């Protein structure tokens, strides 16, 4: 969209003066786009004072200029004057990458999901897709695995078999309190590992909780053919009690004892993407790529590749000394003539794949002789169950494959943004906490950060080992965030992902940016009481500072489980106007994806 600057910009000091008056009032100004349920109760006199003060200043400074027109471009005043809250012509959107996609739907309402209906939908597919889910990992990594499994099953037109349970790592209260509500297990025994044997007893324990506690299954079923393992066992005449935790592995000998036996085809772990192989979605779209590997261009790129799997798009241009201005389509065609395939994927924070963010789509190129197609090898398997064995999650890209077209890549974005979501109770409470943070900062945009401590300190994965140094680093990043929010508001330029069904969040253009000393929301696994008090004294607002007893009662028993509480914290991070997190952390990656899914400017998420 073309840029249309306002005919008369409002100086920054006037905007800040309005914010200052707002900040010092007893009640924040009305921001209908943020808290519509409360906007009619806000203090009218505060707003009148702001409007009058700004109006006088504008009149004095600009004399004969139409002051009503100038003041009305301050969003809070514009709304009060009864004009549209935002003029489309004043907003600039950056052109995005990728193409639109359609969200598939099974067409079944939530209340219709009986066992018979689940069976009917499952049997309308070509069969089932099973895999090992690595349940020894934390929830966010398990969610990434589920996202990938959904993509694979959708491509294959198979019904995905999901684990009935997942394992939470900790309880917010004493063990006996959580054990009153859910099953406590010894993680080492349950997952057949010695990893926890040297831990204190309370740290060896984990919690077996239904998958529905962490994931909105009815919503997921609207878009994907899925079945919980307990239901699959019932449908096939087996006792659900035989479901084995054991890292979420599929047990062919145990689960195939049906009458008659269920045919199964196993994809061995070392067959999916062995060393030196680039797994893509579908090679049939690469028929135009030459198999000639003797050209100078091909060999030049091979030399630049070294022992890596792929080359980044710009790196391939530099290796061939090609102008950066060459059209992408022309460069792709040239590569294809010399035996190189163009793939579409995502850039991981700090060039790592821990976070699985979908916020930075990129192109990479690979030699055709190393490319293998998922659909080409497994799309024609006729066995009732197609089983992917073992760990194919770490350290792979979102979807555990690269894609031959932008449209194919968009399918994993669709799943991350539209299909996967937390249960209603989590999202509703996160919205309430958003409003409470707005109140704490006087109606301005608020910022958030994730401070991973705990095991990351022990493993040496934190960027700063000391708490004070960690806080200094965090505040440096938030200072950058405040400047960025100010710049976005002044330039009226939003850079969002072009995701179908997601509108840019225009509150980033209308709300005032944070003040330097505004409190910020902090999600952290730091448990030491003195450390938490120190964090609060230095501007941090923790989740416990924002929760009420009523919240806990309405949410239910599962908020006692640390992992569930962490899910709520992540949902709050997703509501923030600027977010900073750790590139090693899957929690931070999930928060960044949530923010992209609600139309936040992609520059307002930082992970390092």
């Amino acid at each position: 969209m073309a840029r249309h600057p306002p005919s008369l910009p409002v100086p920054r000091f006037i905007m800040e003066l309005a914010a200052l008056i707002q900040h010092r009032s007893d009640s924040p100004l009305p921001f209908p786009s943020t808290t519509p349920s409360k906007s009619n109760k806000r203090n009218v006199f505060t707003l009148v004072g702001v409007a009058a003060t700004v109006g006088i200043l504008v009149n004095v400074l600009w004399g004969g200029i139409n002051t009503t027109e100038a003041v009305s471009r301050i969003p809070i005043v514009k709304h009060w004057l009864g004009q549209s809250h935002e003029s489309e012509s004043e907003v600039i959107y950056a052109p995005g990458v990728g193409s639109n996609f359609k969200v598939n739907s099974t067409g079944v309402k939530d209340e219709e999901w009986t066992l018979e209906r689940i069976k009917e939908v499952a049997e309308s597919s070509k069969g089932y897709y099973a895999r090992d889910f690595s349940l020894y990992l934390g929830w966010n990594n398990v969610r990434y695995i589920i996202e990938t499994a959904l993509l694979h099953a959708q491509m294959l037109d198979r019904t995905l078999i999901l684990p009935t349970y997942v394992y939470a790592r900790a309880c917010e209260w004493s063990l006996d309190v959580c054990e009153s509500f859910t099953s406590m297990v010894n993680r080492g025994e349950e997952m057949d590992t010695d990893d926890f044997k040297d831990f204190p007893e309370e740290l060896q324990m984990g919690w077996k909780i239904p998958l529905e506690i962490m994931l909105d299954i009815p919503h997921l079923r609207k878009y994907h053919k899925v079945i919980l393992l307990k239901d699959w066992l019932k449908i096939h005449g087996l006792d659900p009690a035989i479901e084995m935790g054991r890292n979420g592995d599929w047990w062919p000998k145990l689960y195939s004892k049906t009458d008659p036996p269920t045919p199964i085809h196993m994809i061995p772990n070392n067959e999916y993407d062995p060393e030196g192989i680039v797994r893509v979605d579908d090679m049939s779209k690469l028929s135009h790529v030459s198999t000639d590997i003797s050209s100078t261009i091909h060999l030049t790129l091979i030399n630049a590749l070294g022992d890596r799997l792929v080359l980044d798009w710009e790196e391939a241009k530099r290796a061939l000394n090609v102008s950066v201005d060459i059209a992408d389509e022309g460069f792709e065609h040239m590569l294809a003539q010399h035996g190189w395939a163009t793939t579409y994927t995502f850039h991981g924070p700090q060039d790592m794949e821990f976070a699985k963010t979908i916020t930075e789509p990129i192109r990479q190129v690979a030699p055709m002789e190393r490319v293998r197609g998922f659909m080409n090898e497994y799309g024609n398997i006729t066995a009732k169950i197609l089983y992917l064995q073992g760990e194919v999650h770490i350290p792979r890209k979102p979807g555990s494959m690269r894609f031959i077209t932008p449209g194919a890549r968009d399918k994993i974005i669709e799943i991350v943004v539209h299909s996967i979501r937390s249960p209603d109770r989590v999202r509703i409470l996160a919205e309430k906490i958003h409003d409470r943070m707005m109140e704490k900062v006087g109606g301005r945009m608020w910022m958030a950060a994730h401070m991973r401590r705990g095991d990351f300190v022990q493993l040496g994965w934190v960027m700063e080992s000391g708490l004070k140094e960690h806080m200094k680093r965090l505040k440096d990043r938030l200072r950058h965030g405040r400047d960025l929010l100010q710049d976005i508001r002044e330039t009226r330029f939003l850079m969002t992902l072009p995701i179908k069904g997601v509108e840019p969040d225009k509150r980033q253009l209308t709300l005032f940016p944070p003040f330097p000393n505004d409190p910020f929301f902090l999600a952290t696994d730091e448990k030491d009481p003195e450390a938490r008090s120190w964090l609060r004294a230095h501007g941090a607002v923790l989740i416990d500072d924002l929760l009420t007893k009523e919240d806990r009662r309405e949410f239910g028993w599962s908020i006692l489980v640390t992992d569930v509480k962490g899910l709520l914290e992540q949902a709050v991070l997703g509501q923030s106007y600027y977010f900073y997190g750790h590139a090693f952390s899957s929690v931070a990656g999930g928060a960044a994806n949530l923010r992209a899914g609600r139309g936040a400017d992609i520059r307002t998420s930082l992970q390092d």
Side-chain angles (χ1 to χ4, degrees):
M1 180 177 293
R3 179 171 179 171
H4 299 284
S7 58
L8 185 62
V10 180
R12 178 188 294 193
F13 85 93
I14 290 185
M15 307 293 275
E16 292 180 348
L17 178 59
L20 181 60
I21 296 172
Q22 170 193 336
H23 177 63
R24 293 187 176 180
S25 66
D26 294 331
S27 176
L29 296 177
F31 290 92
S33 63
T34 305
T35 53
S37 62
K38 298 181 181 179
S39 62
N40 292 331
K41 299 179 181 180
R42 301 291 170 90
N43 192 324
V44 175
F45 297 104
T46 301
L47 183 55
V48 172
V50 174
T53 303
V54 175
I56 291 170
L57 282 168
V58 172
N59 189 56
V60 169
L61 292 171
W62 292 332
I65 294 175
N66 185 326
T67 58
T68 302
E69 178 186 354
V71 175
S72 70
R73 279 199 298 276
I74 301 177
I76 55 173
V77 180
K78 174 192 288 190
H79 178 79
W80 190 262
L81 292 173
Q83 302 178 19
S84 62
H85 194 56
E86 192 55 69
S87 170
E88 187 70 21
S89 64
E90 295 181 13
V91 182
I92 313 151
Y93 299 106
V97 291
S99 58
N100 289 336
F101 48 75
K102 295 180 179 179
V103 178
N104 297 319
S105 175
T106 56
V108 182
K109 296 179 181 178
D110 295 1
E111 64 270 16
E112 296 175 356
W113 284 110
T114 62
L115 187 62
E116 291 74 19
R117 185 58 176 141
I118 293 172
K119 179 181 179 182
E120 180 183 343
V121 171
E123 291 181 348
S124 70
S125 67
K126 291 172 60 176
Y128 295 96
Y129 185 60
R131 64 164 292 167
D132 298 336
F133 281 92
S134 304
L135 297 185
Y136 61 89
L137 296 170
W139 164 247
N140 283 282
N141 279 295
V142 172
R143 189 192 69 245
Y144 292 148
I145 294 171
I146 292 174
E147 292 167 355
T148 293
L150 286 168
L151 174 71
H152 292 183
Q154 184 183 69
M155 292 169 60
L156 296 162
D157 187 24
R158 288 178 174 270
T159 297
L160 175 62
I161 304 175
L162 290 169
T164 306
Y165 302 96
V166 291
Y167 294 92
R169 299 181 175 187
C171 174
E172 290 291 288
W173 304 92
S174 61
L175 299 183
D176 60 310
V177 172
C178 281
E179 194 176 16
S180 300
F181 295 95
T182 191
S183 300
M184 182 171 67
V185 298
N186 183 290
R187 288 192 285 169
E189 295 174 2
E190 186 76 10
M191 300 178 187
D192 194 25
T193 177
D194 293 331
D195 290 350
F196 309 103
K197 67 178 182 179
D198 295 328
F199 285 21
E201 182 179 0
E202 63 272 15
L203 295 182
Q204 294 185 37
M205 299 298 136
W207 308 95
K208 190 176 180 180
I209 60 176
L211 182 61
E212 294 97 327
I213 294 292
M214 306 299 286
L215 193 61
D216 189 339
I217 298 296
H219 175 79
L220 180 60
R221 281 180 168 145
K222 293 178 182 179
Y223 307 108
H224 296 272
K225 298 174 182 179
V226 298
I227 186 170
L228 296 177
L229 180 51
K230 67 176 182 180
D231 294 327
W232 187 91
L233 293 169
K234 288 178 185 177
I235 288 172
H236 290 81
L238 300 174
D239 185 355
I242 70 172
E243 179 173 351
M244 299 278 285
R246 303 288 175 173
N247 296 334
D249 292 351
W250 179 264
W251 292 81
K253 292 183 179 179
L254 186 63
Y255 299 156
S256 299
K257 291 181 178 179
T258 56
D259 188 18
T262 304
I264 182 170
H265 179 96
M266 184 177 74
I267 305 173
N269 182 253
N270 63 353
E271 180 182 299
Y272 179 80
D273 57 357
E275 185 176 355
I277 292 303
V278 179
R279 178 62 67 183
V280 299
D281 59 317
D282 190 352
M283 285 185 65
S284 63
K285 300 171 185 176
L286 293 176
S287 58
H288 64 291
V289 179
S290 171
T291 56
D292 180 15
I293 60 174
S294 61
S295 72
T296 300
I297 287 179
H298 184 91
L299 296 175
T300 298
L301 291 174
I302 286 290
N303 184 60
L305 183 65
D307 59 358
R308 294 172 294 169
L309 274 180
V310 295
L311 281 176
D312 286 337
W313 190 248
E314 299 302 325
E315 188 178 6
K317 286 184 178 181
R318 290 194 298 271
L320 297 175
N321 198 26
V322 171
S323 170
V324 294
D325 297 325
I326 186 174
D328 287 339
E329 292 76 11
F331 188 54
E332 182 173 338
H333 179 69
M334 185 189 77
L335 291 171
Q337 289 180 314
H338 296 277
W340 281 71
T342 299
T343 68
Y344 296 80
T345 184
F346 307 90
H347 180 255
Q350 302 296 304
D351 296 318
M352 297 181 291
E353 306 303 337
F354 294 101
K356 301 291 188 290
T357 53
I358 48 90
T359 56
E360 192 176 346
I362 59 170
R363 299 185 193 197
Q364 294 179 324
V365 298
M368 188 62 180
E369 64 268 25
R370 299 187 184 182
V371 176
R372 299 291 183 273
F374 181 75
M375 288 300 295
N376 310 92
E377 294 186 10
Y378 308 117
N380 295 320
I381 301 296
T382 59
K384 193 66 174 177
I385 297 176
L386 180 61
Y387 163 48
L388 177 59
Q389 179 198 50
E391 170 63 65
V392 292
H393 166 62
I394 302 172
R396 294 166 177 85
K397 294 282 189 184
S400 292
M401 63 175 62
R402 290 170 173 82
F403 305 93
I404 299 306
T405 66
R409 177 181 58 192
D410 285 344
K411 291 179 181 179
I412 189 66
I413 298 178
E414 169 192 341
I415 289 169
V416 171
V417 169
H418 293 294
S419 303
I420 294 286
R421 76 179 192 187
S422 301
D424 286 347
R425 69 176 73 87
V426 175
R427 292 179 292 107
I428 291 171
L429 183 51
E431 290 173 1
K432 291 181 180 178
I433 292 174
H434 164 274
D435 292 349
R436 292 168 191 168
M437 278 301 301
M438 289 293 292
E439 292 173 0
K440 282 186 174 293
V441 298
R444 292 177 295 282
M445 290 184 274
W446 54 272
M447 299 186 292
H450 177 231
M451 178 184 279
R452 183 69 181 267
R453 302 293 295 169
D455 57 342
F456 269 37
V457 176
Q458 300 168 8
L459 294 169
W461 287 2
V462 289
M463 292 299 185
E464 307 291 346
S465 57
L467 187 64
K468 292 181 179 179
E469 292 76 17
H470 202 156
M471 176 62 89
K472 182 180 183 300
R473 181 188 187 91
L474 187 152
K475 285 194 171 185
D476 286 342
R477 303 310 189 265
L478 294 183
R479 189 177 301 111
H480 163 77
R482 187 176 73 89
D483 293 340
L484 176 60
L485 292 174
Q486 176 73 49
D487 183 67
I488 290 172
R489 192 174 187 280
E490 289 182 349
T491 61
R492 313 193 66 71
F493 179 86
L494 287 176
M495 186 181 293
T496 59
L497 285 179
I499 303 172
K500 189 175 180 65
V502 176
E503 295 295 328
D505 184 359
K506 295 181 183 178
R507 294 176 299 179
Q508 300 164 103
L509 303 173
T510 59
L511 298 178
F512 287 117
F515 282 174
N517 294 322
D518 275 355
F520 58 92
F521 178 76
L522 181 65
T524 181
D525 59 351
E526 178 60 66
K527 297 300 181 185
D528 181 77
E530 291 186 8
R532 289 171 71 86
S533 295
W534 186 88
L535 292 171
R536 288 185 175 100
H538 288 79
V541 179
L542 308 183
I543 189 69
D544 289 333
D545 304 329
L546 298 164
L547 288 173
T548 67
K549 292 179 180 179
E550 182 181 10
D551 292 334
R552 296 176 187 275
R553 287 194 296 267
E554 290 180 354
F555 194 98
W557 67 266
S558 61
I559 203 170
L560 298 171
V561 179
T562 302
D563 302 57
V564 177
K565 194 174 177 182
L567 187 64
L568 174 61
E569 286 182 295
Q570 186 181 55
V572 176
L573 294 174
Q575 295 276 349
S576 64
Y577 295 90
Y578 182 86
F579 166 67
Y580 169 62
H582 198 316
F584 281 11
S585 173
S586 58
V587 175
N593 288 343
L594 284 173
R595 300 183 77 259
R598 69 164 181 78
D601 190 304
I602 58 175
R603 296 170 295 171
T604 60
S605 286
L606 173 64
Q607 294 167 259
D608 67 12

